[in-house]
Amino acid sequence: MKLGRAALGLLLLAPLAVRAVEPISLGLALAGVLTGYISYPRLYCLFAECCGQKRSLSREALQKDLDSKLFGQHLAKKVILNAVFGFISNPKPKKPLTLSLHGWTGTGKNFVSKIIAENIYEGGVNSNYVHLFVATLHFPHASNITLYKDQLQLWIRGNVSACAGSIFIFDEMDKMHAGLIDAIKPFLDYYDLVDGVSYQKAIFIFLSNAGAERITDVALDFWRSGKQREEIKLKDMEHALSVSVFNNKNSGFWHSSLIDRNLIDYFVPFLPLEYKHLKMCIRVEMLSRGYEIDEDIVTRVAEEMTFFPKEERVFSDKGCKTVYTKLDYYYDD
């Protein structure tokens, strides 16, 4: 940092020194200082994003983000915290970290992927080392599946070659053409190198609505039995969830070798949200917009949402996804 200030100071003083120094000599001197400054990796990273710039992830910071921004997801919080922190803290992982997040729309899957990215890279999902694939956008045509496989392998290989700790997020896995995701199997396996490239420090996150029915069935059974949702354990649904996704013909994981070869480290269930969770989302959104919490508006927005099953009205059918747009009605200037 001191060198940077010195370089900056030299630039600022240049007009005063120009009379005493020949223009060519001054130019060479400045160029020498700045070249040395930029060529030194640590100093260069003060001005541009660098791979691994924030790999020393803080467990406390990640937990704080999960606790303050994610509601009704005790299973996801625990799994994500332990899995991500443990992986980043391991200097020599045996394979990439692979997380498959499942649940209905609006339960927090995309939100969690953003939290993970933000805790690892300064730019979060906008970082040069975080890559988002949306099935319906990037892989729309079933007739091009062979081309997509080649492109996907090249894209991942190129980005991991540039940054070993790259993060890849695959959204809408339930809409991805079956067989396509198997193209990345070699990158997720227990190999030190694949064609000279190590993928062991990369993170792959899959987001899907597939399996949401199974998750809802378990959550509803607990509710009907008078049990708290916090009593649900990962073992109550993880195996059934993986089997459900594997056998779902409408899922990109249908009969996938990634599941068959146990290359997905965690199947993370996102439970359907209840009325009280919607109110938590609304309060946080109010604060993020700079408004004071108005409980009257919180209640009115929450009550506008629709719930299921039809008779019991236990869970929000859209999670927290639409509460943000509904708030616009009350704060429309």
Side-chain angles (χ1 to χ4, degrees), residues 205-327:
I205 304 173
F206 306 99
L207 313 179
S208 177
N209 289 354
E213 296 89 350
R214 176 58 186 162
I215 296 169
T216 298
D217 288 343
V218 173
L220 200 54
D221 285 344
F222 269 72
W223 183 84
R224 286 171 174 163
S225 300
K227 298 178 181 178
Q228 297 295 316
R229 66 192 282 133
E230 288 75 20
E231 296 180 57
I232 301 174
K233 307 295 183 186
L234 191 60
K235 65 181 181 180
D236 293 323
M237 60 175 68
E238 187 176 32
H239 176 69
L241 179 57
S242 66
V243 173
S244 172
V245 172
F246 183 77
N247 292 319
N248 187 337
K249 291 185 177 181
N250 296 318
S251 167
F253 279 131
W254 183 64
H255 287 187
S256 172
S257 60
L258 273 60
I259 297 178
D260 190 43
R261 294 295 299 274
N262 298 312
L263 297 179
I264 304 296
D265 297 316
Y266 300 95
F267 286 90
V268 186
F270 281 69
L271 305 177
L273 300 182
E274 299 175 15
Y275 178 81
K276 62 183 179 182
H277 303 125
L278 298 189
K279 297 183 81 171
M280 294 177 184
C281 293
I282 296 166
R283 292 187 189 104
V284 169
E285 180 64 14
M286 282 182 171
L287 293 175
S288 71
R289 297 187 185 191
Y291 302 128
E292 292 184 4
I293 294 176
D294 185 325
E295 288 297 337
D296 178 57
I297 293 179
V298 170
T299 299
R300 288 160 67 186
V301 171
E303 290 181 347
E304 289 177 16
M305 306 299 290
T306 53
F307 296 82
F308 71 96
K310 187 175 181 180
E311 299 77 18
E312 294 145 308
R313 300 186 74 250
V314 182
F315 304 123
S316 167
D317 60 1
K318 295 181 180 178
C320 284
K321 192 164 188 176
T322 59
V323 299
Y324 312 118
T325 55
K326 288 184 178 297
L327 265 181

